[in-house]
Amino acid sequence: MRRFQCPLDKQKTERLFRSVLVVANLLLFIALAVYAWRGFYSRYWADDYCFGSISHAHGLLSGTRYFYQNVSNRFAAYFLVGLNELFGESAIRFLPAFMIMVTVVIYTKVFQLACQIVRFPQPWYVSLFLSQTLTYFMVLMAPNLFQSLFWRSGMVSYFAPIPFFGLSLILLVSGLMKGFPWYRLDGLWLIAFFSAGLSETFAAMETGVWVILTLGGFLFLSRKERQPLMKGALPALIGSLAAMGMMILAPGNSMRLATLEQASNPWQVIVLSLRFAASFSYHTLVGLPIPLLVLFAVVLIVAYHLSGHTQPALQDAQWMKLFWGSLVAGFILLVCVAAPTAYGMLAYPEERAWMLGRFVTVLVLIVAAFSAGVLSHRWMDRIVDTCLMSIIVLFLLSLYPLKGAWSELQQLPQWETVAHAWDVRHAQIKEKVVAGETIFTVQAFDSIGTVAELTANPDYWVNVCAADYYGVEEIAAVEGFYE
């Protein structure tokens, strides 16, 4: 016998819950729209000039080959920049909004398929809510949002892999439900190969995912259950490993690694990676307790209500395995994120690289919270038939994204000022180029998001890349210089 009875009948409670979910989706959309708005103030900074100059000189395909042979092993990163350059220099302003939108769309499909595979189908706005929640909290808690989303050179290596990984998940889960025709297998291999080429950090993380799925299939699934999983995971694993091999063999690696101290043995890499992953986890828990709690609570409440009337195909023991398994797998993936920098530099990864670690953190918390929400019926059903108070709490927590949106909205005038100053300087440079000047001085800016800027030294690498980008001999930047 339940101790409490909901004052509303089940039909009204369900209608109220669904209405709150729609409102939550709207508020998340508003919050993400503010971040997308900020993206329109993105301009060329530091490495963007280097990418752009290669694109101007060599184009897309030849530029990719040149970049791989002479500059960096991240062949796919240049390819994405080259595609962006095809739409003109103003296209960089639309890239952050595009990435946010694409991430939401792709992971809406991922969550929809995830519900279907456990025979727990839900309306589209449930999957949209989970996808927007993933994207919002990932952006809100980004270790360095500017470098990983609003700076194109950082975005292509540390944010762009996230939607590509979602595409791999869509192909994998679709194949598990409907089979693996050749185009799904080829798609898995190709997407895994290309996305791994965006950065060593993502290549290591992605490889970790496919290894975990492969080993997990062998350890915990029967032969009949493991066969389709192996059929999909192995091509993706091969694609990731192929890209890693291609990056390792890149001609430019020897010059880059010659200036850095590498790990002397695999054990040193493992120890450092474990330490860095533990440090990242600790500082995430200690430094971001409120957003983590809000994230966990909203997903738990949603899962509790969704599973109140329709039971998923998984049993409680399986949900418990999913809960603990996601946490363990998440930490292993954080170790993978840390491993490339631990090997190549014996150093803690830069903040922008931890964007992938934040993605892992948020996704794991969503899976764990959803599992906990389903499992909560073990004791909640003994207390109340349907918890009306949890719907009220869900509504109040749904207001939380407005806090982040308001804070970001307050900073928009600052970013608009920076963008306007860049536009003025850009127009002045163009005028000098048209006038035939090849050596000149422009206004210097403060560093944006700790990204390097033009200096008074024309031989500084940013100045050299900017001069190549504009097609001149030398550019120097001096504070207080006005024309």
Side-chain angles (χ1 to χ4, degrees), residues 67-322:
F67 186 81
Y68 174 76
Q69 292 176 342
N70 299 277
V71 181
S72 170
N73 57 5
R74 299 176 182 179
F75 57 92
Y78 171 81
F79 189 84
L80 287 187
V81 172
L83 283 178
N84 186 244
E85 287 286 328
L86 291 178
F87 295 93
E89 60 188 20
S90 295
I92 197 172
R93 309 176 187 188
F94 299 90
L95 200 53
F98 177 75
M99 278 295 170
I100 290 173
M101 179 189 69
V102 166
T103 300
V104 170
V105 170
I106 288 176
Y107 280 91
T108 297
K109 185 63 175 180
V110 169
F111 287 117
Q112 182 184 41
L113 291 172
C115 289
Q116 290 177 2
I117 201 169
V118 295
R119 296 195 291 277
F120 190 41
Q122 298 297 328
W124 62 270
Y125 52 82
V126 172
S127 301
L128 177 62
F129 169 78
L130 294 174
S131 179
Q132 289 199 110
T133 297
L134 169 71
T135 308
Y136 170 76
F137 280 95
M138 190 170 62
V139 170
L140 175 71
M141 299 189 293
N144 190 318
L145 184 60
F146 176 81
Q147 289 191 10
S148 54
L149 180 60
F150 300 117
W151 179 42
R152 185 179 65 181
S153 296
M155 175 204 294
V156 294
S157 292
Y158 301 112
F159 193 96
I162 295 170
F164 276 105
F165 180 66
L167 290 175
S168 295
L169 292 179
I170 289 173
L171 289 175
L172 178 66
V173 180
S174 298
L176 293 176
M177 293 190 298
K178 303 176 182 178
F180 286 99
W182 66 268
Y183 58 85
R184 280 203 184 101
L185 295 176
D186 287 352
L188 276 165
W189 185 92
L190 183 60
I191 292 174
F193 174 79
F194 181 83
S195 58
L198 292 170
S199 68
E200 305 90 339
T201 304
F202 180 71
M205 191 207 89
E206 183 184 55
T207 301
V209 171
W210 306 128
V211 169
I212 289 172
L213 288 176
T214 303
L215 292 179
F218 275 108
L219 294 175
F220 302 110
L221 299 178
S222 65
R223 172 179 286 185
K224 183 178 180 180
E225 293 172 327
R226 111 177 36 121
Q227 186 175 1
L229 179 61
M230 296 300 102
K231 192 171 184 179
L234 285 177
L237 176 59
I238 293 171
S240 296
L241 292 174
M244 289 182 70
M246 187 170 174
M247 288 192 289
I248 290 171
L249 297 174
N253 276 350
S254 56
M255 179 180 67
R256 181 182 177 189
L257 294 176
T259 61
L260 302 171
E261 181 182 4
Q262 289 83 54
S264 57
N265 58 75
W267 178 246
Q268 188 178 20
V269 177
I270 294 172
V271 171
L272 284 176
S273 300
L274 286 169
R275 185 191 305 168
F276 294 156
S279 176
F280 177 79
S281 302
Y282 172 78
H283 286 98
T284 297
L285 292 171
V286 172
L288 300 165
I290 294 178
L292 292 176
L293 182 60
V294 172
L295 168 63
F296 193 87
V298 294
V299 177
L300 185 149
I301 293 172
V302 168
Y304 163 74
H305 281 277
L306 292 176
S307 58
H309 305 296
T310 304
Q311 285 295 320
L314 300 183
Q315 302 300 315
D316 283 358
Q318 294 171 302
W319 284 109
M320 188 66 73
K321 290 179 181 178
L322 186 60

Side-chain angles (χ1 to χ4, degrees), residues 218-464:
F218 275 108
L219 294 175
F220 302 110
L221 299 178
S222 65
R223 172 179 286 185
K224 183 178 180 180
E225 293 172 327
R226 111 177 36 121
Q227 186 175 1
L229 179 61
M230 296 300 102
K231 192 171 184 179
L234 285 177
L237 176 59
I238 293 171
S240 296
L241 292 174
M244 289 182 70
M246 187 170 174
M247 288 192 289
I248 290 171
L249 297 174
N253 276 350
S254 56
M255 179 180 67
R256 181 182 177 189
L257 294 176
T259 61
L260 302 171
E261 181 182 4
Q262 289 83 54
S264 57
N265 58 75
W267 178 246
Q268 188 178 20
V269 177
I270 294 172
V271 171
L272 284 176
S273 300
L274 286 169
R275 185 191 305 168
F276 294 156
S279 176
F280 177 79
S281 302
Y282 172 78
H283 286 98
T284 297
L285 292 171
V286 172
L288 300 165
I290 294 178
L292 292 176
L293 182 60
V294 172
L295 168 63
F296 193 87
V298 294
V299 177
L300 185 149
I301 293 172
V302 168
Y304 163 74
H305 281 277
L306 292 176
S307 58
H309 305 296
T310 304
Q311 285 295 320
L314 300 183
Q315 302 300 315
D316 283 358
Q318 294 171 302
W319 284 109
M320 188 66 73
K321 290 179 181 178
L322 186 60
F323 176 85
W324 290 110
S326 63
L327 296 178
V328 173
F331 182 76
I332 294 173
L333 293 180
L334 291 181
V335 174
C336 293
V337 169
T341 310
Y343 166 73
M345 301 173 62
L346 294 178
Y348 190 77
E350 294 184 358
E351 288 183 330
R352 61 177 177 268
W354 278 120
M355 184 70 210
L356 293 170
R358 188 65 75 226
F359 163 69
V360 170
T361 303
V362 175
L363 183 59
V364 163
L365 278 180
I366 288 176
V367 175
F370 200 94
S371 304
V374 175
L375 291 169
S376 66
H377 286 283
R378 282 184 168 188
W379 54 274
M380 281 295 293
D381 289 348
R382 302 172 186 173
I383 303 173
V384 62
D385 54 351
T386 304
C387 186
L388 178 61
M389 182 57 66
S390 65
I391 300 179
I392 298 174
V393 173
L394 177 62
F395 172 74
L396 295 176
L397 293 178
S398 297
L399 300 175
Y400 182 77
L402 294 181
K403 178 179 180 295
W406 176 251
S407 176
E408 198 64 36
L409 197 63
Q410 296 295 99
Q411 299 180 48
L412 287 181
Q414 170 194 342
W415 294 111
E416 183 179 13
T417 300
V418 171
H420 175 71
W422 189 95
D423 291 339
V424 170
R425 187 176 74 178
H426 178 68
Q428 292 173 347
I429 293 175
K430 288 287 190 179
E431 290 176 2
K432 293 175 182 292
V433 171
V434 171
E437 297 185 45
T438 58
I439 300 176
F440 47 79
T441 301
V442 297
Q443 171 66 32
F445 299 151
D446 292 334
S447 172
I448 305 296
T450 68
V451 172
E453 232 294 292
L454 294 174
T455 70
N457 179 11
D459 295 324
Y460 183 58
W461 69 271
V462 178
N463 296 59
V464 172

